[in-house]
Structure formats: structure tokens, C-alpha cells
Amino acid sequence: MLQAVSLTAALSILWLLLSGYWDNHLILALGAGSVVVSVIIAWRMRIVDREGHPAHLALRGIIYWPWLIKEIVVANIDVAKAILGIGGGKVEPMMFSVRASQATDLGRVIYANSITLTPGTVTVALDDEHLVIHALTQGAMDGLATGEMDRRVCELVGEC
């Protein structure tokens, strides 16, 4: 039930932000109706669960998201330096494998998506314990080799 309430709130906020209508009662009622219908359809499809809408991760996400945003900015700078050839950086595409220590599918998917969100890296394949990564620079590979992102995702999903 927490996921349904959270999904309703998230869709309502998204609808209000994207529509820009705050004073027309008919438009607001139609927006509310569309949110309710969307949640009912999602509920009947059985996709409103802990995996499909992980609302239980919201509090831990407050710590994780700022860290991930910082990593995205640092990786952007690393890729820009490599492309421009500034500071000794150079483009060295490579494929390698990293171990995913998360026990659940949700944890592994969050880890794989976090890697892909970081510029210069793409998760190519995911199996039970390993992810195959394509990295654009040596720095991207070295950053993943430290295991910091793996550890933080474990903390996010509560598997450490």
C-alpha cells in the first residue's frame, strides 16, 4: 500500500509540474482522475511493488543521490578532459567485468544503472554476480575498481 500512495503522490507532483495548471478546477480534476486511473492500472498489472516502485529506499536515497550526482559531475569532467586531450587524459575504450555484491535483482539493477548514468561507462551485460562494463577512459575503470559504488549501492538497498 505504501508503494501505491507513493506512486500517487509522485504522479500527482509530476502532473502538476508538467501541466502548469494550478487554477482551473476542471483541468485539476481531470489530472487527478488520470493519476488515479494510472495507479489503478499499475496496481491491476501488479507492478506496484517493492521492486517496481521502491519507495522504501527514499530515506536512504537522500544520502545516495547527492553522492551519485557528484560522481556524475566528476566523470563528466574526466570524459571532457579525455576527449579534449587536456591534462594527460586520453580516450582508451575497454571492456571489463566487476563483481556485483548485491543479493537482490533490485540492488544489481540499481548498481548497473548507476554505472550507466555515470558518463564514460555503460553496463553491457548483467548476470548473477558480475557486470560487464564498457569504459571510455582508464579513470572510469579505476573508479569502479575501488568498489565504492558497489558498497554505496549495498548500503542503499540495505544489503551490507
Side-chain angles (χ1 to χ4, degrees):
M1 191 59 156
L2 170 67
Q3 284 80 16
V5 171
S6 173
L7 181 61
T8 302
L11 288 176
S12 297
I13 291 168
L14 180 66
W15 187 90
L16 285 169
L17 290 173
L18 292 178
S19 72
Y21 290 104
W22 298 84
D23 53 356
N24 187 326
H25 297 295
L26 176 63
I27 300 293
L28 287 174
L30 291 171
S34 68
V35 166
V36 168
V37 168
S38 297
V39 172
I40 289 171
I41 290 170
W43 185 269
R44 291 203 53 192
M45 291 174 64
R46 292 183 172 85
I47 58 173
V48 181
D49 57 6
R50 288 177 63 91
E51 191 173 274
H53 186 71
H56 63 285
L57 300 179
L59 291 177
R60 288 190 215 130
I62 293 170
I63 296 169
Y64 181 73
W65 278 102
W67 175 82
L68 183 62
I69 290 168
K70 177 195 72 92
E71 291 299 311
I72 289 171
V73 170
V74 168
N76 266 310
I77 294 168
D78 183 47
V79 169
K81 284 180 178 179
I83 290 172
L84 296 173
I86 299 172
K90 62 181 182 174
V91 176
E92 300 176 274
M94 64 196 78
M95 299 279 284
F96 62 98
S97 179
V98 294
R99 185 176 181 283
S101 59
Q102 294 76 26
T104 63
D105 288 340
L106 177 63
R108 287 188 291 275
V109 168
I110 290 173
Y111 185 35
N113 286 340
S114 296
I115 291 170
T116 300
L117 280 172
T118 308
T121 54
V122 176
T123 303
V124 178
L126 166 65
D127 65 18
D128 288 339
E129 292 186 13
H130 291 89
L131 286 81
V132 178
I133 311 296
H134 177 273
L136 198 58
T137 64
Q138 182 68 38
M141 186 179 110
D142 294 342
L144 285 172
T146 65
E148 178 71 11
M149 185 178 286
D150 183 54
R151 183 186 64 76
R152 288 190 179 255
V153 171
C154 280
E155 289 174 0
L156 172 68
V157 294
E159 296 177 1
C160 292

